Amino acid sequence: MSNLEKSAKNGVNVDALLAARAALTQAPEAAQFKWRATSQWLNGTHSRTTISDFHGLGTEQKHRQNFQFDTDHPEIFASEDNGPTPVEFVLVGLAGCLSAGIAAVAQNRNIQLRSVKATLEAGMDIQGILGIDEKVRNGFDGIRVHYDIDADATPEQIAALVAQSQKRSAVFDVLTNPTDVHVTVSKAK
Amino acid sequence: MSNLEKSAKNGVNVDALLAARAALTQAPEAAQFKWRATSQWLNGTHSRTTISDFHGLGTEQKHRQNFQFDTDHPEIFASEDNGPTPVEFVLVGLAGCLSAGIAAVAQNRNIQLRSVKATLEAGMDIQGILGIDEKVRNGFDGIRVHYDIDADATPEQIAALVAQSQKRSAVFDVLTNPTDVHVTVSKAK
């Protein structure tokens, strides 16, 4: 079906994204982004992290508002459960990234989405973080994501949306491939 | 200095954690955790993810409350900036994980923390996610974390706290090593 016969409305401005792609192809230095967070320890395992500014398109950028998030450990770890665990925030990022990609790809393919629901589950053997067994990794032993999607499309077209989103997802890449994390420390005066 | 001379109060119940380690060494099946999230697409690149229950210590567990988080893309990507980008949530998880570890290790070493602040910056060349250059990865090209810590300890002792936290951090492991992410899809009826 052509765009004349039907126009999907998924709320993604694909024309703007295609224009950005064309512009950045001519100016690759503008494609260099820096995402940032600042964090403050409160007490015990409880910290608060702020998301405010970032760098991109060659200049400093600000979110419309500052966002703050508390992380903590649950009561079964003798903590106060003042927020999700840090690892659960990683799942928030994965869900949000894949779903945004699904909407963008659906818009580009003129497929109307009606609902997109994801359930995520990540296994972890906490013998790793507790230092019981050096052979057990600290992180997830795997992540399963299941999408339930209601859309004006065949099951095969819906599966292809998700596959294309995975192929271009930043968080999917961050999880499935190694990233260098460089940590430095100074003693506050 | 001995525990009799000085007792650090960082709000981490290290005795409970050491008891848990001893208990789980005898019952490794209780150390198998499952962390979960459910997510719903709202519009465009805007989704809402809920953190509620998890599995651990051999049974189903619930957080004291449900936590909900909105993810979105910023206005410069022609989106509405209703929440941080998904990749910024990954930084929230990394900051929270390393800081919780620093507090736990400091408590175990009887070092009083006064303040722990982290600044994080992750580079990303968005030519990857835009599909401009297949050689550019979608995710971060690296993450820099800097800790400023005020504590009753030498700079070397403070640096050792951070190093030990990295060694046992779940999110640090998730980022620096690959994790299998298995995605399935069904068409909603």
Side-chain angles (χ1 to χ4, degrees):
Chain A
M1 76 199 117
S2 76
N3 283 354
L4 287 176
E5 286 167 20
K6 179 164 172 292
S7 271
K9 288 193 171 67
N10 296 318
V12 180
N13 188 337
V14 166
D15 289 343
L17 291 176
L18 294 175
R21 179 159 72 182
L24 292 177
T25 303
Q26 304 304 316
E29 69 284 2
Q32 306 306 314
F33 274 60
K34 290 191 188 301
W35 302 104
R36 300 183 186 126
T38 58
S39 188
Q40 182 142 15
W41 171 70
L42 297 177
N43 186 50
T45 52
H46 182 199
S47 291
R48 183 164 294 154
T49 298
T50 302
I51 302 292
S52 168
D53 57 284
F54 57 98
H55 182 93
L57 305 185
T59 186
E60 290 298 298
Q61 308 280 353
K62 268 188 106 51
H63 283 289
R64 283 198 304 162
Q65 56 175 290
N66 288 355
F67 301 104
Q68 288 200 317
F69 304 101
D70 285 20
T71 49
D72 201 356
H73 288 177
E75 291 178 320
I76 58 166
F77 293 165
S79 284
E80 293 181 355
D81 199 21
N82 290 302
T85 61
V87 293
E88 289 166 313
F89 273 101
V90 175
L91 299 182
V92 172
L94 179 60
C97 199
L98 289 174
S99 295
I102 289 165
V105 176
Q107 187 64 40
N108 197 35
R109 296 181 181 181
N110 200 25
I111 292 172
Q112 181 64 50
L113 298 174
R114 282 185 285 268
S115 82
V116 178
K117 291 180 186 173
T119 56
L120 295 87
E121 188 171 86
M124 180 185 291
D125 181 344
I126 68 165
Q127 292 185 90
I129 54 174
L130 288 173
I132 293 173
D133 186 343
E134 289 291 332
K135 295 186 301 298
V136 174
R137 69 178 288 186
N138 297 318
F140 299 136
D141 52 35
I143 304 174
R144 290 185 304 164
V145 183
H146 184 74
Y147 270 98
D148 256 300
I149 298 178
D150 184 11
D152 192 8
T154 66
E156 292 71 25
Q157 288 172 320
I158 290 172
L161 293 180
V162 177
Q164 180 63 24
S165 172
Q166 272 178 262
K167 193 180 163 194
R168 285 279 163 253
S169 163
V171 178
F172 184 84
D173 176 11
V174 161
L175 292 173
T176 55
N177 294 298
T179 299
D180 180 61
V181 181
H182 185 66
V183 184
T184 54
V185 193
S186 53
K187 182 170 178 174
K189 298 293 188 307
Chain B
M1 78 199 109
S2 76
N3 284 353
L4 288 176
E5 287 168 19
K6 177 162 172 293
S7 271
K9 289 193 172 67
N10 296 317
V12 180
N13 188 337
V14 166
D15 289 343
L17 290 176
L18 294 175
R21 180 158 73 181
L24 292 177
T25 303
Q26 304 305 315
E29 68 283 2
Q32 307 306 314
F33 274 60
K34 289 190 188 302
W35 302 105
R36 301 183 185 125
T38 57
S39 188
Q40 181 142 15
W41 170 69
L42 298 177
N43 187 52
T45 52
H46 182 199
S47 291
R48 182 165 295 154
T49 299
T50 303
I51 303 292
S52 168
D53 57 285
F54 57 99
H55 182 92
L57 305 185
T59 186
E60 291 298 297
Q61 307 280 354
K62 269 187 105 52
H63 282 290
R64 284 199 303 161
Q65 58 175 288
N66 289 355
F67 301 105
Q68 288 200 317
F69 304 101
D70 285 20
T71 49
D72 202 356
H73 288 177
E75 291 178 321
I76 57 166
F77 294 162
S79 283
E80 293 180 355
D81 199 20
N82 291 302
T85 61
V87 293
E88 289 167 313
F89 274 100
V90 174
L91 300 182
V92 172
L94 179 60
C97 200
L98 289 174
S99 295
I102 289 165
V105 176
Q107 187 65 40
N108 197 35
R109 296 181 180 179
N110 200 22
I111 292 172
Q112 181 63 51
L113 298 175
R114 282 185 285 268
S115 82
V116 178
K117 291 179 185 173
T119 56
L120 295 87
E121 188 171 84
M124 180 186 291
D125 181 344
I126 68 165
Q127 293 185 90
I129 55 174
L130 288 173
I132 293 173
D133 186 342
E134 289 291 331
K135 296 187 300 296
V136 174
R137 70 177 288 186
N138 297 319
F140 299 137
D141 52 34
I143 304 174
R144 290 186 303 164
V145 183
H146 183 74
Y147 270 97
D148 256 300
I149 298 178
D150 184 11
D152 191 8
T154 66
E156 292 72 23
Q157 289 171 320
I158 290 173
L161 292 181
V162 178
Q164 180 62 23
S165 173
Q166 271 178 262
K167 193 179 163 195
R168 286 279 162 251
S169 164
V171 178
F172 184 83
D173 176 11
V174 161
L175 292 173
T176 55
N177 295 297
T179 300
D180 180 61
V181 182
H182 186 65
V183 184
T184 53
V185 194
S186 52
K187 181 170 178 175
K189 298 292 187 308

